Amino acid sequence: LLKRPFGIVKAEPPFIWIYYEVVGRGTELISKLDSHHSIDAIGPLGNSFSPLANKNILLVAGGRGIAPLYYAGKAYSAANRVFLIYGAKSQPDLNLVEEIQGLPLEKIFLYTDDGSAGKKGPVTTDTREIIAANHIQVTVSCGPDAMLHSLFHILRDLKTENYVSMEALMGCGFGICYGCVVKTAGGDYKKVCVDGPVFKMEEIAWEK
């Protein structure tokens, strides 16, 4: 089996916490591990979120994209005002909510496609209004490509500094196999495992 890439939710050396959902054979095997098992892991891979201070930051998470943004929210809230938009298909898909509510965030905005929790609608429904009302200077996002595509078209006319943590399957994890490349606005390709996973949003070639 190839290794799987996972977002780090929390790091307190010598321990790290990862976030995953059982969707296939690999994650099913992981779900059956206990404290008597050992695993072979490579990491951490690539870059991380840019250091920021004295900023109004908006985190935008869709589905499993909450994993790295939980980590970012905890780190950024020490020296910034941090807001979170978090959306998923339905209430059971809004994971880590209790943990998020324990963070010192300014405000949390929840959305579900079916209206079973928070406000009904896509996670990007009120992004423009939230940015304006809270004087957001920086956005950091992670989630499905469709969400990021919509978010890009909302943000490109605003004056915010925008970062995105990209999700991609990785064959090797250290830049040899080119299995995790993303196309850039300049026409070339960058590897999520070593050049990312965090990019400036305008670096990526989003579908027009």
Side-chain angles (χ1 to χ4, degrees):
L1 292 176
L2 291 174
K3 290 181 172 63
R4 270 70 169 164
F6 296 106
I8 296 174
V9 176
K10 187 166 61 170
E12 295 177 1
F15 302 104
I16 63 168
W17 285 255
I18 64 169
Y19 176 77
Y20 70 95
E21 179 180 353
V22 177
V23 294
R25 184 184 172 207
T27 46
E28 182 181 1
L29 290 171
I30 291 173
S31 72
K32 295 176 181 178
L33 298 176
D34 59 31
S35 59
H36 300 291
H37 291 93
S38 62
I39 60 171
D40 179 25
I42 301 173
L45 302 177
N47 62 11
S48 188
F49 298 105
S50 298
L52 297 168
N54 302 313
K55 300 287 186 181
N56 293 336
I57 302 172
L58 176 64
L59 309 178
V60 185
R64 294 190 297 270
I66 191 60
L69 295 195
Y70 172 84
Y71 186 94
K74 185 175 182 180
Y76 281 145
S77 59
N80 302 274
R81 298 178 70 238
V82 182
F83 301 80
L84 170 67
I85 300 176
Y86 179 23
K89 292 180 180 179
S90 62
Q91 190 276 331
D93 301 309
L94 287 171
N95 297 297
L96 301 175
V97 171
E98 289 186 8
E99 290 83 353
I100 291 164
Q101 291 173 338
L103 297 178
L105 304 181
E106 296 292 324
K107 192 166 184 180
I108 301 170
F109 305 88
L110 298 179
Y111 293 82
T112 50
D113 293 345
D114 63 2
S116 56
K119 186 173 181 179
K120 184 176 182 179
V123 65
T124 54
T125 299
D126 301 314
T127 303
R128 189 181 295 271
E129 291 77 10
I130 292 170
I131 288 174
N134 297 288
H135 309 289
I136 299 299
Q137 299 160 289
V138 181
T139 72
V140 181
S141 54
C142 184
D145 286 347
M147 181 206 90
L148 298 175
H149 175 267
S150 298
L151 185 62
F152 168 73
H153 287 285
I154 293 170
L155 298 176
R156 63 180 178 177
D157 296 326
L158 303 180
K159 295 181 179 180
T160 50
E161 184 178 349
N162 307 304
Y163 297 92
V164 56
S165 179
M166 300 294 292
E167 298 177 335
L169 292 175
M170 300 172 187
C172 68
F174 40 83
I176 294 176
C177 74
Y178 284 76
C180 63
V181 295
V182 291
K183 190 174 183 179
T184 71
D188 60 344
Y189 291 85
K190 290 195 174 182
K191 293 166 279 190
V192 173
C193 68
V194 293
D195 300 316
V198 180
F199 299 91
K200 285 192 172 182
M201 183 166 261
E202 62 270 20
E203 286 185 66
I204 306 301
W206 305 102
E207 183 183 348
K208 302 301 182 183

